[in-house]
Amino acid sequence: MYVREEVLKRLNLAADFLPEGYGLMVYDGWRSFEFQHELYEFYKKILAAHQDLQRHDVNLEQWLQRFVAPPIRDPDDPPPHTTGGAVDVTLIFAGAEVEMGTSFDDFTAESATDWYEQKSSLTPHERLIAEHRKILRSAMEKAGFVNYPLEWWHFDFGNLSWAKRLGREPLYGAIWNEKEAFGDVKEN
């Protein structure tokens, strides 16, 4: 897995902000354009087969684009993961993933970062989930990341999504493929 050098430094900083015993586990970082396209098509097929969405007359393409950036080669608006500035992370405690309420890459409303904070009453288990999400978001934000509000696991630094949220210019554009990322690497 690859991320920008500054993103790696900030992930280490975020880990330092976590309470004792907690750590970060990174699911995903930089994606090539080709992989972004494959991922988009993969989830498109899964959603097309999802009976609940079909019954509720949901526009599948719009729903999918809430969670997976469309694979469009636009240098002015690249998919976040193609920049190396987007990461998908979770919390671990004593080396094991903690309960976050949904799985990574869950496409339900419950995956919104503040889902549990918005509920009027929480069970003890839900309070624990809400606390885990707050711990993760707090550490990542202290390290300079911004969270994509529909996904508790997705954070950006330096890319266009980050820049828009903070009213700044992006630091990173797309790295469309492995050759751009790594050059002509030859194995011996």
Side-chain angles (χ1 to χ4, degrees):
M1 175 188 354
Y2 301 96
V3 295
R4 300 277 184 161
E5 185 176 349
E6 184 63 25
V7 172
L8 179 59
K9 289 177 186 175
R10 289 175 181 273
L11 283 168
N12 287 324
L13 183 60
D16 290 341
F17 290 131
L18 293 171
E20 180 133 359
Y22 284 93
L24 293 176
M25 184 173 85
V26 181
Y27 291 119
D28 205 1
W30 173 76
R31 296 179 191 150
S32 68
F33 179 78
E34 290 75 20
F35 184 69
Q36 184 69 31
H37 185 267
E38 290 170 16
L39 194 65
Y40 189 85
E41 292 301 320
F42 173 78
Y43 282 117
K44 186 175 179 180
K45 287 177 187 171
I46 289 175
L47 285 178
H50 201 280
Q51 297 300 318
D52 289 341
L53 294 177
Q54 290 176 0
R55 275 198 304 270
H56 291 60
D57 197 30
V58 171
N59 180 311
L60 295 178
E61 200 78 22
Q62 287 177 342
W63 187 260
L64 176 60
Q65 289 179 17
R66 293 177 62 184
F67 298 98
V68 182
I72 299 170
R73 272 193 193 267
D74 182 353
D76 295 325
D77 191 10
H81 279 279
T82 65
T83 68
V87 291
D88 296 333
V89 299
T90 193
L91 281 180
I92 57 174
F93 186 82
E97 289 183 59
V98 302
E99 177 63 53
M100 298 298 281
T102 68
S103 62
F104 156 71
D105 272 355
D106 181 274
F107 293 168
T108 63
E110 290 86 356
S111 60
T113 305
D114 67 353
W115 172 261
Y116 292 97
E117 293 174 47
Q118 299 302 315
K119 290 183 75 175
S120 57
S121 64
L122 298 175
T123 67
H125 182 68
E126 289 173 327
R127 279 195 292 279
L128 179 64
I129 293 166
E131 183 61 24
H132 287 156
R133 288 186 182 190
K134 284 182 196 175
I135 289 169
L136 177 61
R137 186 177 63 219
S138 175
M140 294 295 284
E141 288 177 350
K142 284 179 184 175
F145 290 92
V146 296
N147 174 246
Y148 176 56
L150 296 180
E151 299 175 349
W152 58 261
W153 59 86
H154 181 99
F155 293 87
D156 295 289
F157 178 83
N159 60 20
L160 185 61
S161 299
W162 170 86
K164 284 179 179 179
R165 294 278 304 278
L166 298 178
R168 300 176 64 176
E169 289 296 314
L171 303 175
Y172 312 131
I175 305 169
W176 296 114
N177 56 51
E178 286 85 356
K179 187 172 181 180
E180 283 183 44
F182 314 112
D184 288 323
V185 178
K186 297 185 190 228
E187 292 189 38
N188 293 330

